């Protein structure tokens, strides 16, 4: 898999089943967090973030890359009338929290 994003790269595709797109994205998140180099980097980053709360807020506040990608995907699916309207920000945060 050459990238952390998987085949769909987090982009909404109106021609593919929603469950297939979501599964592909969520697997890419799990794969990213499971890679040894990601875990090593996370240890270094967490140790720095513990000493600098402002940096932690800047990096992980409302701009998490996976969360913003999932949020955008859900909003596009709603605009395409393939997903019911709901609070996408809360759902994206909950889904990714379950994975983490």
């Amino acid at each position: 898999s050459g990238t952390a994003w998987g085949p769909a790269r987090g982009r909404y595709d109106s021609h593919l089943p929603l469950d297939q797109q979501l599964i592909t994205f969520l697997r890419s998140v799990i794969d990213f967090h499971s890679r040894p180099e990601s875990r090593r980097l996370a240890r270094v980053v967490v140790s720095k973030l513990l000493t600098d709360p402002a940096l932690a807020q800047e990096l992980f506040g409302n701009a998490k890359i996976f969360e913003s990608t999932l949020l955008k995907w859900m909003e596009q699916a709603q605009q395409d009338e393939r997903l019911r309207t709901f609070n996408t920000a809360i759902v994206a945060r909950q889904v990714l929290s379950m994975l983490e």
Side-chain angles (χ1 to χ4, degrees), residues 9-75:
R9 300 186 63 79
R11 293 191 188 115
Y12 173 75
D13 185 333
S14 63
H15 303 300
L16 292 176
L18 293 179
D19 60 340
Q20 178 184 342
Q21 294 180 66
L22 185 58
I23 288 169
T24 299
F25 173 74
L26 296 176
R27 281 187 178 150
S28 71
V29 173
I30 291 169
D31 290 346
F32 173 80
H33 288 296
S34 298
R35 294 187 331 209
E37 59 271 19
S38 294
R39 290 194 311 260
R40 284 191 299 271
L41 179 60
R43 283 193 285 277
V44 172
V45 170
V46 167
S47 67
K48 176 63 178 162
L49 295 179
L50 290 173
T51 63
D52 191 345
L55 178 61
Q57 180 60 35
E58 184 177 330
L59 290 175
F60 298 112
N62 294 323
K64 286 185 176 181
I65 188 73
F66 292 124
E67 187 175 319
S68 63
T69 300
L70 181 56
L71 180 61
K72 182 177 178 181
W73 179 86
M74 287 189 295
E75 289 169 347

Side-chain angles (χ1 to χ4, degrees), residues 12 18 75-84:
Y12 173 75
L18 293 179
E75 289 169 347
Q76 289 171 336
Q78 285 178 336
Q79 290 170 0
D80 203 22
E81 298 181 354
R82 294 182 67 201
L83 274 182
R84 291 183 181 159

Side-chain angles (χ1 to χ4, degrees), residues 67 70-71 74 86-97:
E67 187 175 319
L70 181 56
L71 180 61
M74 287 189 295
F86 51 83
N87 188 325
T88 52
I90 290 173
V91 173
R93 202 169 309 117
Q94 289 175 337
V95 167
L96 292 170
S97 292

